[in-house]
């Protein structure tokens, strides 16, 4: 997969332990695979965000896991049950990935694609009305 990497996102990932780096790189590749027009940036001082006509997701490494924040207003279906927190959140839900866990790549990619489609249709706030 070829995409334009933001060096600030590289720096964020490279500062993490190896297992968190692997998770972040896999998520990064999945979101770019979902749509080649996805761009990456840094928001909130140092957090990697992936955007396309709105936020798609953000990464946040915690002590014992990596959070993938999905900006979907809780409207994207989760048939595989990968959402771990924020089920009733009005802005974002979370997929937490811990050391040694396997990312459900098909489910996460499907969610990314739906969030991107929703962004292109005006964003989840408009779609929820």
């Amino acid at each position: 997969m070829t995409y334009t990497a933001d060096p600030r996102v590289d720096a964020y990932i490279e500062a993490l332990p190896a297992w968190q780096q692997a998770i972040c790189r896999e998520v990064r590749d999945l979101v770019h695979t979902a749509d080649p027009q996805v761009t990456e940036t840094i928001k909130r001082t140092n957090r990697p965000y992936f955007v396309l006509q709105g936020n798609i997701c953000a990464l946040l490494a915690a002590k014992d896991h990596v959070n993938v924040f999905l900006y979907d207003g809780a409207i994207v279906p989760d048939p595989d049950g990968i959402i771990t927190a924020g089920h009733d959140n009005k802005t974002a839900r979370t997929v937490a990935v811990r050391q040694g866990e396997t990312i459900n790549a098909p489910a996460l990619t499907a969610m990314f694609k739906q969030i991107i489609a929703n962004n292109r249709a005006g964003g989840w706030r408009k779609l929820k009305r």
Side-chain angles (χ1 to χ4, degrees), residues 9 18 30 68 71-72 110:
V9 174
L30 291 173
V68 181
Y71 289 90
D72 68 346

Side-chain angles (χ1 to χ4, degrees), residues 77-122:
D78 181 22
D80 292 285
I82 65 171
I83 300 296
T84 57
H87 297 282
D88 298 321
N89 192 306
K90 294 183 188 214
T91 305
R93 296 182 290 171
T94 305
V95 176
V97 184
R98 288 173 170 67
Q99 186 173 9
E101 290 182 345
T102 301
I103 295 171
N104 184 334
L108 190 56
T109 301
M111 293 182 95
F112 288 155
K113 287 181 178 183
Q114 184 62 58
I115 293 167
I116 292 165
N118 291 349
N119 285 354
R120 286 190 165 127

Side-chain angles (χ1 to χ4, degrees), residues 45-101:
T45 309
N46 68 348
R47 287 202 194 119
Y49 273 72
F50 300 88
V51 298
L52 180 57
Q53 295 183 7
N55 292 333
I56 301 163
C57 69
L59 298 173
L60 177 62
K63 182 178 179 180
D64 65 348
H65 64 282
V66 174
N67 282 316
V68 181
F69 292 99
L70 301 172
Y71 289 90
D72 68 346
I75 64 173
V76 174
D78 181 22
D80 292 285
I82 65 171
I83 300 296
T84 57
H87 297 282
D88 298 321
N89 192 306
K90 294 183 188 214
T91 305
R93 296 182 290 171
T94 305
V95 176
V97 184
R98 288 173 170 67
Q99 186 173 9
E101 290 182 345

